Amino acid sequence: MCYWVLRRRRNIIRLQIIMAAAAEIKMHGFKFTMNDVTARLHISKTSLYGYFPSKSALVAAVIKMVQEDVQRQEEDIYNDSERSIEDKFQAVMSVSPALVGPSSDSIYYDLQTTYPEQWRNVENFRQQRLDRLIALLEKGVSSRKIKPINFSVLKQLVFFSMNDLFDHTFLVENNMTYYDAVVSLSKILTRGFIEEKDI
Amino acid sequence: MCYWVLRRRRNIIRLQIIMAAAAEIKMHGFKFTMNDVTARLHISKTSLYGYFPSKSALVAAVIKMVQEDVQRQEEDIYNDSERSIEDKFQAVMSVSPALVGPSSDSIYYDLQTTYPEQWRNVENFRQQRLDRLIALLEKGVSSRKIKPINFSVLKQLVFFSMNDLFDHTFLVENNMTYYDAVVSLSKILTRGFIEEKDI
């Protein structure tokens, strides 16, 4: 086979490994083993280590792919000049990485205890996302699209909303998807629950 | 001394003991000792045990007094026919017991590990307060004062807001009182952050 075909094949297998690891993380957290990944893909351990020298390198690759995906989705939202601030806010709030779906609190805690270095990386990433979203809203104040609310309070509220608010139990009990819950939440935050006429 | 004077004096000392215990809990959590309380009040241990047979009886009395205080404040708010639903919501959100001030997450965790029975009692109490507040809003939907939002989502949001959102670090960093933060939050939840005209 020529070089390009080989390289393409290598990229496909690399992607399959990352997807298998992501599926393991989603199901069992970060305590999955390299054997779990090889079993899923029916490949040898030698072959796996040919792509990722260690489990931590594999975990890093999963996180990198998740972050690139989220970043790409958000880039599209922020750059879409057709969208209002309200629309952008709602869209950013409901972004979730295709690879692993909405994050859960327990996964973060698991990451913090097993790969603290990666956890710090993820924390920074979340903080940057939050800062960008709040900056979008703050910019809307001067053009009178956004009320001059207390942005520290809103930031705290959005941070908790993005992370802790809708766990699996809540969604099952209320028969909602994560997306439903976040859309409902965004509606409350953007427009409030008091009927406008009742001023 | 006659019976009534004695009884009144007893009630005053009892109240002083409860206040001293509340101050200890606020400063050091539930690991305070009966000695801490006697030292604060310059009374003997025999005298203290004459009022409360055990530390857990004293803790129960503090919690009961806090709950009665909160209940009384909320009763006044709910029964005030001058107040709109919006006003009632904001007032209920910012109720905090005079004896101990706004609750913190760490105090709840401390209670859960040291007095699980009392913690369950407090949990039920919080749930009842939340249910009552959400019921007030739900009732406003039929009279078109409140939007038909998703109340499970709002309930979750209010629960977190009342408990986890504004810890000591947040308040100090943002140079706000708990009351400031809750009022800002209530404004966002009731009216949203989008300027009305921008529909």
Side-chain angles (χ1 to χ4, degrees), chain B residues 113-140:
Chain B
T113 49
T114 48
Y115 294 97
E117 199 59 51
Q118 281 299 330
W119 176 79
R120 268 188 293 277
N121 159 16
V122 169
E123 275 299 296
N124 284 338
F125 183 76
R126 292 162 91 190
Q127 205 58 50
Q128 281 163 22
R129 290 182 62 198
L130 182 61
D131 288 344
R132 188 174 182 181
L133 184 57
I134 297 298
L136 170 80
L137 302 179
E138 280 179 320
K139 235 174 48 192

Side-chain angles (χ1 to χ4, degrees), chain B residues 134 137-138 141 146-156:
Chain B
I134 297 298
L137 302 179
E138 280 179 320
V141 174
I146 303 293
K147 295 177 184 170
I149 49 157
N150 186 310
F151 284 98
S152 307
V153 168
L154 182 68
K155 192 172 172 177
Q156 188 78 348

